Amino acid sequence: HVPVQVPRYEAMELENSAPTIHAASKQRVAQTSDFDDSVVDTFDRREIFDLIRHINDPEHPLTLEQLNVVQEGQIDVNDDKNEILVQFTPTIPHCSMSTLIGLCIRVRLLRCLPTRFKVNVEIFPGTHISRDQVNKQLADKERVAAALENSYLRESVERCLATRSAS
C-alpha cells in the first residue's frame, strides 16, 4: 500500500496567510462524579472535542479550534456501538495540509481512546476540493500506518500534537 501523501510545508509559502481566528470554547467544568470510578461515564462529543481542540495547525501558530477546523458540532459519538466520527473543516477549499490535519486528529484519538472504538476522521462535506481522495486516504488503516513509519511525517504529526506553552 502507498502511504498517506502529505506535502512538505516548511519551505512553502502560506496558503492561507490571514486565517480567521475564532474564540476558544470554555473549558469543561469538572464534576465530582468525574473522579468517581463507580460512576459509568460514556464518551460524548465534548470529551472527544476536548481531546482534539488543542492540536496545533501545521501552518500557523494556532490550534485547530482557534481556526474553527474542529468544532464540537461536527463530532458524532455512538458509545453503545463504539463508533466515533470526527468531521473537520479546512480553512480553505484547496488546503494541502488537510491530510496531515486528519492524520493528526486520527493519531490523537487512537492514542487517547480505548481500543474498542472505531474512529473515522473525514473532511466535512462541501469544504474541500479533494474531499473524497483525502477521506479515502484517512480511512485506509494500512496507508495511515505506512505514513507513520515515515520519519518526516511522524515528526510533523508529533509537532502538531505537542503541547505549546501558554504565551
Side-chain angles (χ1 to χ4, degrees), residues 22-152:
H22 300 265
S25 300
K26 291 183 180 179
Q27 293 292 330
R28 180 185 282 209
V29 177
Q31 305 295 320
T32 306
S33 61
D34 292 342
F35 304 100
D36 183 349
D37 290 336
S38 67
V39 174
V40 176
D41 184 27
T42 60
F43 284 88
D44 61 21
R45 68 174 42 178
R46 179 55 193 244
E47 191 164 4
I48 302 306
F49 178 69
D50 285 344
L51 290 172
I52 63 174
R53 66 191 283 196
H54 298 293
I55 294 173
N56 301 308
D57 181 76
E59 197 174 38
H60 299 284
L62 300 164
T63 67
L64 297 185
E65 178 187 23
Q66 289 173 309
L67 293 171
N68 221 28
V69 172
V70 295
Q71 302 166 43
E72 188 175 347
Q74 292 179 348
I75 299 170
D76 290 316
V77 178
N78 188 326
D79 198 63
D80 294 332
K81 291 185 177 181
N82 303 315
E83 296 175 343
I84 294 174
L85 170 64
V86 174
Q87 294 183 314
F88 67 98
T89 302
T91 59
I92 52 177
H94 55 279
C95 177
S96 65
M97 297 292 121
S98 294
T99 306
L100 178 58
I101 290 168
L103 187 61
C104 292
I105 293 169
R106 178 178 266 298
V107 168
R108 168 66 50 85
L109 293 177
L110 292 175
R111 287 180 180 175
C112 295
L113 294 172
T115 56
R116 69 182 173 94
F117 281 106
K118 180 178 189 311
V119 175
N120 291 306
V121 177
E122 301 176 351
I123 294 177
F124 191 78
T127 62
H128 195 277
I129 59 172
S130 301
R131 176 181 184 265
D132 292 341
Q133 294 92 326
V134 173
N135 287 350
K136 184 177 180 180
Q137 288 184 5
L138 293 173
D140 187 330
K141 291 178 188 178
E142 291 178 14
R143 287 182 92 167
V144 168
L148 294 173
E149 289 177 10
N150 175 300
S151 62
Y152 173 78

